[in-house]
Amino acid sequence: MNKLLMEENDRLQKQVSQLVCENGYMKQQLRTAPATTDASCDSVVTTPQHSLRDANNPAGLLSIAEETLAEFLSKATGTAVDWVQMPGMKPGPDSVGIFAISQSCSGVAARACGLVSLEPTKIAEILKDRPSWFRDCRSLEVFTMFPAGNAGTIELLYTQAYAPTTLAPARDFWTLRYTTTLDNGSLVVCERSLSGSGAGPNPASAAQFVRAEMLPSGCLIRPCDGGGSIIHIVDHLNLEAWSVPEVLRPLYESSKVVAQRMTIAALRYVRQIAQETSGEVVYGLGRQPAVLRTFSQRLSRGFNDAVNGFNDDGWSLMTCDGAEDVIIAVNSTKSLSTASNPTNSLAFLGGILCAKASMLLQNVPPALLVRFLREHRSEWADFNVDAYSAASLKAGSYAYPGMRPTRFTGSQIIMPLGHTIEHEELLEVIRLEGHSLAQEDAFVSRDIHLLQICSGVDENAVGACSELVFAPIDEMFPDDGPLLPSGFRIIPLDSKTPDTPDTLTAHRTLDLTSSLEVGPATNPAAGDSSSCHHTRSVLTIAFQFPFESNLQDNVATMARQYVRSVISSVQRVAMAICPSGLSPTLGPKLSPGSPEALTLAHWICQSYSYHLGAELLRSDSVGGDSVLKNLWQHSDAILCCSLKSMPVFIFANQAGLDMLETTLVALQDITLDKIFDESGRKALCADFAKLMQQGFTYLPAGICMSTMGRHVSYEQAVAWKVLAPEDNTVHCLAFSFINWSFV
């Protein structure tokens, strides 16, 4: 790393010297220009135009290859691109390498430099196998290959890249790749786009691709005296941003995104292989690193296939009205059989159905949202739907909709399998605990196992994509078990200018925070991007379901409803973790342990004592942080609602959540009037004036209702105003239901 920093310093010094010389030359030209000005156009010095070369003959291709090599080297070690340090990726002892992005150039570009303990030929072999490390690469096909000088090769490639969302078409490239050895022993693999149509996609899916341009890019690999190699990687692309909706163009014009998804990913992957080769990496469940790496690649690829739904893979859209926000695609040709276990097949099924949607998020940190979705699956997932998908792994063991009744505890156990060297991606098995409700199977486990990858949970990784992708897997965890991935992907939109409300609404699909007041972002984890007035990201959801031929419509209806319920849950989560733009009276940030919840707990207890002249909690239980813990564990159901024309609940202790049979995230959708029956509403209305005048009131014994429709009886209820001590204003209303029980 020290050697790399010294080389980078030398390069910058040379760049400064060159700029000084160019500056002096320009000054001299300006001084002599008046004396040599000629009005004729013929006297203007122009760059000689290269004659058109035939890309179909080796001589013409060799000329293009040599030019590509020169341009690539000028970017990798020279000043052809104005490089600036990648935000949030400062070089240091723990850094994988040195990373830079283009400041102002045609297209988007990124560069990486690092030291790897592998030989140059091995590194070149790894990097040339682009689908193995570039998760967005759908396919790479070598059309032609012939030898060149210095034991090199020239190849003509056709590459397809997945679209990251459902809102834009995929990209493809027609390129020349040149591999050669320099005089100093360095190995170079460089690549650029060729003009002309060249190879193209299957006619069935031609409309799903846009031809993008790769400007001279590649890798320079220099062997080190003590072993290992120094790698310089450059990716320079023109992704044709004009072809996507305007709201998504920052994603296609961001060098940071290219750096994270391609350049940095390439260097990290090579480092990962190097560590695995040296035996430094230890994985769980006795699996070999290559097997676990294949699992991650299969999950990512299956999710990308679902999001893109290419026609040449057998996907087609089901008929739906134009107002549909959830896209339903069906694939009747897909089979999940495996070569080593052909009996474990879904060929008897009608096929695979995918429900997917993309939407904008505003002021929601992607890393934080994915972390929440991973750790609190019960907040958004229906475990019975997971059970339905898991049943498809055992041919003939189920028939929708009559599955065996199962009760799930709502708990999940995360069993780590492995992680990448910087923990930017985690591979794990999730066990969802379930028990049969049938008496004859009372002692039979109905646990569900999911294989899952989670990435992009570092809030300081600028431009990084955050993903949570999972698939049901057999409890025996076979190496080649069939996978049907579903999940979430959140990509930050690196807007160059502050967003305006018009921009946000013009291309909105499902704007999760469109109903909120939008204010300046105050997320401390936003790093260098916090200078933007709004932080936006695009969320893509895709869920896959197997189906039998005669039940396609039933499964389609179920899938559409389920994805909409997931979207609704994500909306609540997004509001709960949104760092700005929310009125504190809404209370979506009042999760157990948060500073807001602790403050509210103090206010609830202080207001109770002030109005009723009694203690809600024991006097020895209200000091410091313990007040929230004791309020949370109080046996009476304590709930708080906003003081509005239509009061909604903003907080409840554990007993309150149990009584309403809900969660903190879902609590904000429940209005006060919905939990009382007719007599309870009349009693509350009769005493409301008294409550507002004297600050509290007692409600007689009565019946209220949980969100699941169950009746709840209580001996007495107390309502009081919760005051904010600073200005003595009413913050909210609190209710305590004493000795409650289900009827």
Side-chain angles (χ1 to χ4, degrees):
M1 183 58 66
N2 183 53
K3 186 176 181 180
L4 288 175
L5 290 171
M6 291 172 64
E7 290 181 354
E8 182 71 3
N9 186 50
D10 290 341
R11 186 191 67 79
L12 292 172
Q13 288 179 351
K14 291 176 183 177
Q15 184 176 354
V16 170
S17 300
Q18 181 178 345
L19 291 173
V20 170
C21 293
E22 290 177 358
N23 187 44
Y25 175 75
M26 292 300 296
K27 287 181 178 179
Q28 183 181 357
Q29 290 294 101
L30 290 173
R31 284 196 297 268
T32 58
T36 59
T37 300
D38 188 334
S40 68
C41 295
D42 295 336
S43 65
V44 178
V45 178
T46 59
T47 303
Q49 296 294 317
H50 293 286
S51 58
L52 294 175
R53 292 157 296 184
D54 184 4
N56 294 318
N57 71 71
L61 290 176
L62 182 59
S63 175
I64 296 173
E66 292 294 343
E67 183 181 282
T68 303
L69 173 63
E71 291 188 37
F72 161 68
L73 291 175
S74 69
K75 298 174 186 178
T77 60
T79 58
V81 171
D82 185 10
W83 299 109
V84 296
Q85 182 177 288
M86 174 75 175
M89 302 288 287
K90 294 181 180 180
D94 298 326
S95 174
V96 173
I98 300 171
F99 306 104
I101 56 175
S102 58
Q103 189 170 30
S104 57
C105 70
S106 173
V108 288
R111 184 177 70 175
C113 181
L115 181 64
V116 178
S117 57
L118 289 174
E119 295 303 310
T121 52
K122 178 63 175 177
I123 295 172
E125 177 188 333
I126 293 171
L127 293 179
K128 290 173 78 169
D129 184 17
R130 190 174 289 139
S132 68
W133 57 265
F134 183 33
R135 294 290 174 83
D136 290 347
C137 183
R138 183 195 185 205
S139 63
L140 186 151
E141 186 175 356
V142 179
F143 270 75
T144 306
M145 181 176 69
F146 55 86
N150 291 335
T153 57
I154 293 177
E155 302 163 287
L156 299 186
L157 311 178
Y158 175 62
T159 306
Q160 292 182 347
Y162 290 108
T165 79
T166 62
L167 304 176
R171 298 295 187 262
D172 65 351
F173 300 85
W174 172 239
T175 59
L176 176 148
R177 183 167 70 187
Y178 181 33
T179 305
T180 188
T181 303
L182 303 182
D183 294 339
N184 63 4
S186 297
L187 184 60
V188 176
V189 180
C190 56
E191 188 174 351
R192 78 175 306 162
S193 285
L194 294 173
S195 59
S197 58
N202 186 305
S205 59
Q208 295 176 286
F209 288 91
V210 169
R211 179 61 53 88
E213 180 185 7
M214 179 182 292
L215 290 84
S217 306
C219 61
L220 167 65
I221 311 167
R222 295 190 294 173
C224 295
D225 295 337
S229 308
I230 293 177
I231 316 175
H232 298 261
I233 302 175
V234 172
D235 291 302
H236 193 175
L237 307 172
N238 179 359
L239 295 173
E240 307 296 343
W242 58 267
S243 64
V244 303
E246 186 177 349
V247 72
L248 284 183
R249 288 179 189 172
L251 179 60
Y252 289 79
E253 296 171 341
S254 171
S255 294
K256 299 170 188 173
V257 173
V258 170
Q260 290 284 1
R261 295 193 72 78
M262 288 190 70
T263 321
I264 299 174
L267 184 56
R268 281 174 170 163
Y269 186 80
V270 175
R271 288 283 300 268
Q272 183 80 21
I273 298 297
Q275 289 199 4
E276 291 174 1
T277 304
S278 65
E280 297 177 38
V281 183
V282 179
Y283 289 95
L285 299 185
R287 290 304 197 277
Q288 292 297 316
V291 173
L292 297 180
R293 209 165 46 242
T294 301
F295 272 128
S296 297
Q297 292 165 353
R298 288 176 59 199
L299 283 173
S300 181
R301 185 176 188 82
F303 182 69
N304 277 323
D305 284 335
V307 169
N308 285 260
F310 292 115
N311 295 335
D312 58 5
D313 275 345
W315 290 100
S316 60
L317 295 180
M318 290 186 66
T319 304
C320 61
D321 59 67
E324 284 288 355
D325 292 316
V326 177
I327 301 169
I328 301 293
V330 64
N331 191 332
S332 300
T333 65
K334 196 167 186 176
S335 173
L336 298 186
S337 60
T338 61
S340 62
N341 189 9
T343 59
N344 193 358
S345 171
L346 297 185
F348 76 98
L349 297 172
I352 307 298
L353 187 143
C354 179
K356 53 191 175 181
S358 291
M359 61 209 72
L360 295 178
L361 299 176
Q362 186 159 319
N363 295 333
V364 178
L368 186 59
L369 179 55
V370 161
R371 210 157 57 226
F372 186 96
L373 296 175
R374 171 180 175 261
E375 296 171 1
H376 303 279
R377 187 179 187 88
S378 60
E379 295 287 356
W380 57 267
D382 184 338
F383 290 178
N384 287 294
V385 174
D386 290 324
Y388 164 74
S389 298
S392 66
L393 296 174
K394 301 175 182 178
S397 66
Y398 77 100
Y400 178 86
M403 294 185 299
R404 296 183 180 182
T406 303
R407 177 181 63 84
F408 292 98
T409 63
S411 65
Q412 63 175 5
I413 298 174
I414 299 177
M415 297 176 284
L417 287 177
H419 55 77
T420 48
I421 54 177
E422 290 189 312
H423 293 255
E424 70 276 0
E425 181 176 281
L426 309 173
L427 178 66
E428 51 204 14
V429 171
I430 310 299
R431 191 179 81 197
L432 309 177
E433 296 182 335
H435 304 282
S436 175
L437 293 180
Q439 188 171 359
E440 63 273 16
D441 295 332
F443 299 101
V444 177
S445 171
R446 294 282 180 237
D447 293 352
I448 300 169
H449 294 82
L450 304 173
L451 184 67
Q452 177 172 281
I453 53 172
C454 181
S455 61
V457 294
D458 180 5
E459 296 178 29
N460 297 314
V462 178
C465 165
S466 300
E467 291 184 344
L468 185 70
V469 179
F470 48 86
I473 191 167
D474 187 88
E475 61 268 18
M476 299 305 294
F477 193 34
D479 291 350
D480 61 349
L483 298 177
L484 197 63
S486 302
F488 308 85
R489 171 181 292 145
I490 313 171
I491 307 176
L493 295 175
D494 182 23
S495 184
K496 295 181 180 179
T497 57
D499 307 318
T500 62
D502 293 340
T503 306
L504 292 176
T505 56
H507 300 278
R508 192 178 79 196
T509 53
L510 292 173
D511 189 347
L512 298 186
T513 54
S514 60
S515 63
L516 307 177
E517 267 185 52
V518 177
T522 59
N523 179 16
D528 295 310
S529 62
S530 61
S531 58
C532 295
H533 289 276
H534 303 289
T535 57
R536 289 183 299 164
S537 54
V538 57
L539 166 66
T540 297
I541 299 175
F543 281 76
Q544 297 191 78
F545 305 90
F547 66 87
E548 295 182 8
S549 299
N550 61 328
L551 294 171
Q552 176 176 323
D553 292 339
N554 301 59
V555 176
T557 300
M558 179 271 289
R560 182 179 288 111
Q561 292 174 348
Y562 181 58
V563 169
R564 282 180 175 160
S565 73
V566 171
I567 289 171
S568 177
S569 299
V570 172
Q571 177 180 1
R572 292 193 295 268
V573 172
M575 292 174 62
I577 66 176
C578 183
S580 66
L582 296 178
S583 167
T585 57
L586 291 177
K589 293 190 289 186
L590 296 179
S591 57
S594 69
E596 294 84 359
L598 180 59
T599 299
L600 181 58
H602 279 286
W603 292 356
I604 291 171
C605 295
Q606 292 168 3
S607 300
Y608 186 93
S609 300
Y610 174 79
H611 292 303
L612 284 82
E615 298 293 336
L616 181 61
L617 303 175
R618 297 195 316 269
S619 57
D620 59 345
S621 304
V622 295
D625 296 348
S626 63
V627 62
L628 178 56
K629 178 182 177 181
N630 288 288
L631 185 70
W632 181 256
Q633 297 174 348
H634 200 287
S635 59
D636 293 341
I638 299 173
L639 304 101
C640 295
C641 69
S642 60
L643 192 61
K644 291 190 171 185
S645 57
M646 183 63 71
V648 296
F649 289 105
I650 62 173
F651 181 76
N653 67 351
Q654 186 62 64
L657 296 178
D658 293 342
M659 185 184 79
L660 295 183
E661 295 185 289
T662 187
T663 65
L664 271 176
V665 176
L667 187 68
Q668 61 191 320
D669 289 341
I670 306 171
T671 56
L672 178 61
D673 64 311
K674 287 185 178 179
I675 73 166
F676 288 103
D677 62 5
E678 188 62 30
S679 60
R681 280 193 289 269
K682 288 181 178 179
L684 179 62
C685 290
D687 288 341
F688 190 80
K690 181 181 178 182
L691 168 63
M692 299 309 294
Q693 287 177 3
Q694 71 178 29
F696 73 98
T697 188
Y698 289 97
L699 301 176
I703 299 290
C704 62
M705 191 172 297
S706 78
T707 58
M708 306 300 290
R710 291 210 287 173
H711 289 87
V712 181
S713 66
Y714 55 91
E715 290 184 5
Q716 189 182 48
V718 184
W720 69 98
K721 295 191 294 186
V722 177
L723 305 177
E726 293 84 359
D727 50 9
N728 211 38
T729 57
V730 180
H731 178 77
C732 61
L733 297 179
F735 292 84
S736 176
F737 294 87
I738 302 168
N739 292 334
W740 64 273
S741 61
F742 290 107
V743 177

